[in-house]
C-alpha cells in the first residue's frame, strides 16, 4: 500500500507536541486517565529526536512515531526503540503508520543499529504490519509474577 498522497515525514519538534496530543485524543476518543495505556504526551520527555517523526498531509499532523535509543539496560546492543505510533483516525488504513515505521527503520539502518518495538500480545494489525516490514520476534521475554 502506498501512503496517502502528499505525506511528508520529518523529525518531531517541540512545536508538534500539541498536534500529537490531539491525534492521540482522536485515537482514544477521550482524555486518558492514569490506568490507561500511556498517553503519547508521556513520551515527550524521553524521546530521541533523531528517531521521532511526524507525518504531515497538507501541513496537518496525520501521524507520529516516537522513538528512543537504548539496549544496554536489557544486555542488548544499542538499538532504536519504537515507543509509540499513532495515526489520526482520518488517515488510518492509508499507509501512514507503515510509512512512519519504515522511515524509523531506514533511519536505524543508516545509523547501523537494530530497530526494536515491544508490544502487547495479540495486537492485531500493528503486529501484522511489523512482521510485514521485516521485524521478527526478538530476544526479550516478559515474565510476570502476580501478587498473592
Amino acid at each position: 500500500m502506498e501512503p496517502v498522497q502528499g505525506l511528508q515525514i520529518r523529525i518531531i519538534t517541540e512545536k508538534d507536541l500539541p498536534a500529537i496530543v490531539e491525534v492521540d485524543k482522536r485515537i482514544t476518543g477521550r482524555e486518558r486517565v492514569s490506568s490507561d495505556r500511556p498517553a503519547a504526551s508521556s513520551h515527550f520527555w524521553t524521546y530521541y529526536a533523531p528517531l521521532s517523526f511526524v507525518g504531515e498531509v497538507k501541513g496537518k499532523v496525520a501521524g507520529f512515531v516516537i522513538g528512543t535509543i537504548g539496549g544496554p539496560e536489557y544486555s542488548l546492543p544499542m538499538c532504536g526503540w519504537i515507543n509509540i505510533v499513532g495515526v489520526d483516525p482520518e488517515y488510518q488504513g492509508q499507509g501512514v503508520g507503515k510509512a512512519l515505521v519504515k522511515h524509523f527503520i531506514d533511519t536505524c539502518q543508516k545509523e547501523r543499529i537494530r530497530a526494536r518495538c515491544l508490544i502487547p500480545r495479540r495486537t492485531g494489525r500493528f503486529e501484522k504490519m511489523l512482521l510485514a516490514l521485516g521485524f521478527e520476534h526478538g530476544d526479550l521475554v516478559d515474565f510476570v509474577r502476580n501478587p498473592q
Side-chain angles (χ1 to χ4, degrees):
M1 168 187 304
E2 290 297 314
V4 65
Q5 189 171 2
L7 179 68
Q8 298 291 314
I9 297 175
R10 63 172 174 75
I11 290 178
I12 281 178
T13 68
E14 284 193 35
K15 292 177 187 172
D16 296 313
L17 303 184
I20 291 168
V21 168
E22 281 305 309
V23 169
D24 193 49
K25 284 182 195 174
R26 289 180 53 121
I27 292 167
T28 63
R30 60 188 162 71
E31 294 276 347
R32 296 191 189 253
V33 296
S34 61
S35 61
D36 286 343
R37 173 178 70 86
S41 60
S42 70
H43 298 278
F44 292 167
W45 312 117
T46 60
Y47 78 97
Y48 180 64
L51 290 177
S52 298
F53 308 99
V54 292
E56 293 181 314
V57 177
K58 297 178 183 173
K60 176 184 174 190
V61 173
F64 60 89
V65 59
I66 297 177
T68 59
I69 194 156
E73 65 274 27
Y74 299 112
S75 298
L76 298 170
M78 195 61 72
C79 308
W81 291 84
I82 295 173
N83 280 358
I84 188 169
V85 177
V87 177
D88 190 309
E90 180 181 340
Y91 294 99
Q92 289 180 6
Q94 298 180 49
V96 173
K98 184 175 183 178
L100 285 162
V101 173
K102 179 145 181 19
H103 194 82
F104 180 92
I105 294 166
D106 292 345
T107 303
C108 288
Q109 291 286 330
K110 288 177 193 166
E111 296 298 321
R112 305 193 53 76
I113 59 174
R114 287 182 177 168
R116 290 185 173 269
C117 183
L118 290 174
I119 60 173
R121 292 179 200 196
R122 297 174 292 282
T123 55
R125 292 187 328 186
F126 190 63
E127 183 176 6
K128 287 178 187 173
M129 182 187 71
L130 291 174
L131 293 170
L133 287 169
F135 281 83
E136 350 178 288
H137 292 276
D139 304 320
L140 300 178
V141 178
D142 179 28
F143 286 87
V144 177
R145 185 175 190 280
N146 292 319
Q148 296 180 349

